Amino acid sequence: MTDLLELSGVVLSSMPVGEYDRRVVLLTRERGRITAFAKGARRPNSSLLAVSCPFVCGKFFLYEGRSSYTLRSAEVIAYFSSLQQDLEKLCYASYFTELAEYFSRENMAAADMLNLLYLSFRALEKGKIPSELIRCIVELRMMVLDGEYTELPPIQTGDSACYAWQYVIRSPLKELFQFTLNPPALDELKKAVSVLYRRVIDREFHSLQILHSMIQPMQ
């Protein structure tokens, strides 16, 4: 057996495998996106039961195999369990992890993307700014991290939306979720991000489809 690896990361997704195991996808600071198997994680008394759930952030201890990793244990920094209890916030958080899985790569360090996810989960939990604004920030900054963005909005906007666009692409990660916009400016920012999004991203996300189905009947 190889030496135990210590990787800082977040669980992007988790699915059952066999009778008692789980397959988890982790976004890690040191090695980007990796796949790991949590053996026995679905047993009620397993120490891996809680740490193999989506949104869990912390240090993960793994053994490296030829094509995957085996999760041995974890030291959790945050579970973000409250996101699981609010269906709308759950959909937003799940969408953010799907975006991270889309943009991340294996064996490529992902410190900024990891921090962005962590901060977005915290912003969703606190609820101090609208979830739609958090979504705009995450989408735009993800595209910035991928190198696919414009310095100014791709459509004409008012001053507030234009300033917000530039703030999101340039500010330190820890300062991203510290502003809000009035509804007209937020609508402009959403439209601008959507234009860039359609140019850059070529797939549909399951959690986003669910989110749309929840929001549209309310409008």
Side-chain angles (χ1 to χ4, degrees):
M1 184 72 74
T2 58
D3 293 337
L4 197 62
L5 294 173
E6 178 183 327
L7 302 177
S8 298
V10 58
V11 180
L12 298 180
S13 62
S14 177
M15 64 177 296
V17 174
E19 190 172 359
Y20 296 112
D21 303 340
R22 281 195 173 276
R23 175 184 177 273
V24 297
V25 177
L26 301 171
L27 178 68
T28 68
R29 181 184 306 274
E30 301 84 358
R31 299 199 178 188
R33 187 183 72 243
I34 66 171
T35 298
F37 290 91
K39 296 182 178 179
R42 294 164 61 203
R43 295 181 183 275
N45 60 345
S46 173
S47 62
L48 301 179
L49 179 63
V51 303
S52 59
C53 295
F55 318 140
V56 170
C57 293
K59 294 180 180 179
F60 297 86
F61 301 90
L62 312 100
Y63 292 111
E64 184 176 8
R66 290 185 177 180
S67 59
S68 64
Y69 296 77
T70 299
L71 180 60
R72 179 67 179 83
S73 61
E75 293 180 3
V76 177
I77 295 173
Y79 287 99
F80 293 108
S81 54
S82 66
L83 299 180
Q84 304 276 2
Q85 300 166 12
D86 183 308
L87 183 56
E88 184 174 314
K89 290 183 178 181
L90 172 62
C91 287
Y92 275 108
S94 298
Y95 171 51
F96 299 161
T97 60
E98 284 191 271
L99 274 180
E101 193 163 351
Y102 175 85
F103 281 115
S104 59
R105 302 290 183 268
E106 295 181 7
N107 299 316
M108 289 185 63
D112 286 345
M113 190 176 296
L114 177 61
N115 288 338
L116 177 61
L117 272 186
Y118 176 79
L119 292 169
S120 70
F121 294 163
R122 286 186 60 189
L124 283 173
E125 274 197 328
K126 291 179 179 178
K128 292 183 178 180
I129 66 175
S131 296
E132 288 184 318
L133 177 55
I134 298 173
R135 173 185 165 180
C136 285
I137 294 170
V138 172
E139 288 176 340
L140 181 52
R141 195 59 179 245
M142 283 279 188
M143 291 186 283
V144 170
L145 293 177
D146 197 51
E148 298 284 351
Y149 70 101
T150 56
E151 289 289 337
L152 295 174
I155 60 174
Q156 186 173 357
T157 68
D159 291 342
S160 294
C162 184
Y163 176 80
W165 179 281
Q166 294 176 305
Y167 183 90
V168 171
I169 68 176
R170 295 174 181 173
S171 294
L173 290 171
K174 63 181 181 180
E175 298 176 8
L176 280 182
F177 302 98
Q178 297 182 9
F179 74 97
T180 189
L181 292 171
N182 60 41
L186 177 55
D187 284 342
E188 289 182 341
L189 180 63
K190 286 165 55 179
K191 290 175 182 176
V193 172
S194 178
V195 169
L196 182 62
Y197 183 100
R198 290 194 297 271
R199 294 176 184 174
V200 174
I201 298 175
D202 59 0
R203 61 158 290 185
E204 298 289 333
F205 296 97
H206 179 64
S207 53
L208 190 57
Q209 293 174 336
I210 296 175
L211 186 60
H212 285 162
S213 68
M214 292 173 53
I215 295 175
Q216 287 175 354
M218 299 169 58
Q219 295 177 341

